[in-house]
Amino acid sequence: MLSTFHEDDDINPESREHMKPSVITFYNLTKGAVDVVDRMKAEYSVTRVSNRWPLTIFCTLLNIAGINSQIIYFSNTNNKILRRLYLTDLAKQLSKPHIIRRSKVTSLSIPLRQKIKNILGHEASAPTTAEQQGEVKPRCFFCPKRKNRFTKYCCDTCTKPICKEHTAKTVLTCTDCFNRDEDS
């Protein structure tokens, strides 16, 4: 037996006739949390039968993340909520931005629009005429006109349209604003 907590191989006197090492009795006393997590994972699981190990690991991580997030939610709010209801609400909140973005697609079928309306609880906003016509993208502020480089990105600081060549870091900042921030 290897343990970083126990340094000797003494026998636990409380184990009586079984003569168990203290490492084993300590493990048996503290392993309850693993059993509880395994039971909670099995009760509501996102795991699918798969031969691909990355998918299996990903699903296991999702199950554990759901348990951990519920524990954090409870400790922050002291609001005890059923696991099923919590996971349902979590899934809705995580998928809501995608559903709203998807509702702006003009070519959605009527049944799908109805499902989106039921999920969101209100009518999805109709796309504007500019969105329907494929809104014209602005040219990069820094590129010469002959490059004719259109972009959908803009600087977070000054809102100038910028291409990827003129961005700094992962935050969309034009090179002028980035250099100005570094100087100050």
Side-chain angles (χ1 to χ4, degrees):
M1 298 273 176
L2 292 176
S3 173
T4 57
F5 188 73
H6 297 89
E7 296 175 1
D8 53 0
D9 56 350
D10 63 330
I11 303 295
N12 188 353
E14 295 174 7
S15 63
R16 298 184 189 106
E17 68 273 352
H18 298 293
M19 302 287 288
K20 293 181 182 175
S22 57
V23 175
I24 301 291
T25 55
F26 180 76
Y27 172 76
N28 288 339
L29 286 173
T30 58
K31 72 176 181 181
V34 174
D35 296 335
V36 170
V37 168
D38 287 341
R39 183 179 48 80
M40 290 174 79
K41 281 187 343 188
E43 193 173 340
Y44 296 105
S45 177
V46 297
T47 307
R48 301 288 176 257
V49 176
S50 173
N51 290 331
R52 297 182 303 155
W53 64 267
L55 179 65
T56 305
I57 291 174
F58 178 71
C59 290
T60 302
L61 289 174
L62 281 178
N63 288 333
I64 293 171
I67 293 167
N68 289 343
S69 68
Q70 186 177 14
I71 291 168
I72 292 169
Y73 175 79
F74 175 69
S75 67
N76 287 341
T77 63
N78 288 328
N79 181 11
K80 194 159 191 157
I81 186 170
L82 292 175
R83 183 159 164 69
R84 178 179 53 82
L85 297 175
Y86 177 78
L87 291 175
T88 303
D89 189 45
L90 178 66
K92 285 180 182 176
Q93 292 299 321
L94 289 174
S95 61
K96 195 172 190 175
H98 174 70
I99 293 171
I100 291 171
R101 195 170 45 249
R102 180 81 194 268
S103 70
K104 295 179 181 174
V105 174
T106 57
S107 60
L108 287 181
S109 65
I110 292 173
L112 188 54
R113 283 192 186 279
Q114 187 63 37
K115 287 179 184 176
I116 289 175
K117 180 182 174 185
N118 291 340
I119 291 171
L120 295 178
H122 58 79
E123 188 70 39
S125 61
T128 61
T129 55
E131 290 172 345
Q132 288 174 349
Q133 295 171 355
E135 189 174 315
V136 179
K137 295 179 189 174
R139 282 195 173 105
C140 175
F141 182 80
F142 297 100
C143 289
K145 290 210 187 244
R146 62 183 154 76
K147 276 194 175 178
N148 203 23
R149 207 177 261 172
F150 293 97
T151 182
K152 63 181 178 180
Y153 304 106
C154 63
C155 177
D156 288 336
T157 308
C158 65
T159 66
K160 292 176 187 172
I162 50 174
C163 66
K164 291 210 174 185
E165 182 182 326
H166 293 103
T167 58
K169 295 186 183 179
T170 54
V171 178
L172 298 178
T173 307
C174 66
T175 48
D176 286 349
C177 294
F178 179 72
N179 292 335
R180 191 177 332 130
D181 289 342
E182 279 189 346
D183 292 340
S184 54

